[in-house]
Amino acid sequence: MHLLTCLRRHAQASPSAPALLTPRGEALDYRALWAVAERAADWLRAQSLPAASRLGVLAEAGFDQAVALLALACQATVVPLSRDSRVEVLQEQIDAARLDAVVGLPGDARVAQVAARAGLRAIVFDRRELAGAAGADPASPPRTASDPGSTAFVLLTSGTTAGPKRVPLTHRALLRAAQTIGETVGLTVDDRGLCVMPLHHSHGLIGGLLTPLVRGASVVCMPAFDAAAAAAAAALLRPTWYTASPAIHQALAAHCAADLDALAGHRFRFVRSASFSMPPALLERLESLWGAPVLESYGMTETATQLASNRLPPHRRKAGSVGRPLGCEMRIVDDQGRPLPDGAAGAIEVRGPTVFAGYEGQDRGAAFHDDWFRTGDLGVFDADGDLRILGREKEIINRGGEKIAPLSVEHALLRLPGVREAAAYPVPHPTLGEDLHALVVLDPGAELDPLRARLALRAWLDDIAIPARIRVVGAIPLSAQGKVQRLRLHAQVDGDAQPSAQPSAQPPADPAEAAVAAVFGELLGCAVNDRQADFHALGGDSLSAARAVALLRARTGVQLPVGAVFAAPTVAALACALRAAQRAGAAAAA
């Protein structure tokens, strides 16, 4: 089906039913929304633009942006642009997308600036000029051709591991994906969504906006996310669900937990999570706060946003799983592209009606294996057929030959008391190749001791997967789509950090520290006289870590796991682990 055909059908069946609402409750019903979309063809002709035009829409987030995107996509190909991007970034995107014009909303001077810099026309789209339903009859024959195979939107990927790519999505793929999401969560015309995600990428556009419209339901279109504003709109308009990324879930939950009256009496019957993996602890917190099930899903722009999802009760939901494939075929393959059995981890490949045909301007073969799209994600199916995402292939950290999935490290960090957000990322290392660092954001008033944190992580992680450095920050850098770009964090955080004064060396404080310092110095060929000296920073690797553990056992009689050097890499930290093992051994002997 074509989007205009979909809107026409709802305008015929329920003309006065609300389709889009502002946060204040002002509504555009289905007949009026269809009328704007129908008359967008006349608007294009008045601007001397053909129906096949490619239009960049640069608008403040919210109700008017939603109307412009929907109406123009019914008559042209739309490239949604982020209003928050720098002019230089926008110009690069506009040039690559081969746009015919840049469209903005009334009163937005920035659109003219961006368009002029790109050498394009700036055009103002005012829905009020097209809105009146008088004389518009959805029962009359369509005035324009509606090809479901035509491209409705060209979306930009997040660029998590490379520069953004352009993803063309047809009307057929978009509506099929939205219909699948709606069926998964059982949306009816009585449901109302709260759209808190930006509409310039697939989660907000398809999951938040198109999904309720395809089902004949209504949606509240929020401006740029603000937890207090979202809570106020939810209290006023009583939506039955919302979909968001974990970061937005976290912010809204924190606001409502601090103000228990913010959403008193809400009527969420479920909430949905997408964009990236949700920590199990956050899922439990949300379900406790809302008293409603949280459905974690998995998808990407290239597949019109959903590939798999958990389902509503009584279906089983598993923390850490994204459920089963929906609306597509999915398989796990090895490095040679051979399918793997359930329980074996590998690369995720998919095919089906919502999968795009290929990136604009790039060879299709690079992204596809025969007719299977290579998602770039790693995953595993468990014995029940549920999918668990292990991370991006390019983000797997190779620490001295050991492969580490950042997601598993982040989920463990989020189990530490007071840790609200976490990101694990690789840093270059002279002998390991890559080492592992992490950033954490704490709850207000919380504190974290990195040494104690690393030791506590041993309850959930292998020693090799424990970060050599854990840094507390006020915020973790995100992309314009709200995603952590792990491969860029070292340059963004460590590389940009100003060098701080080095604390004066503190000599080993007891026999255990002296023993560790002596072993470090002997193996790494340097004098170690500082209890904060770090094994990895001194050039230690996996082989020398094993030798360090063997030497300590020979000299102290205490057996430590090889990975203890990764969990406790400083002289003081490893000595602490040594003393703990000594006490445990003594207690067992007694």
Side-chain angles (χ1 to χ4, degrees), residues 227-228 230-236 252 255-266 290:
L236 175 66
L252 186 56
H255 172 79
C256 293
D259 179 5
L260 294 178
D261 293 330
L263 277 184
H266 76 82
W290 304 140

Side-chain angles (χ1 to χ4, degrees), residues 506-510 513-515 517 528-531 571:
Q506 301 175 359
D510 60 25
E513 292 186 3
V528 178
N529 298 310
D530 184 359
R531 64 192 302 269
V571 169

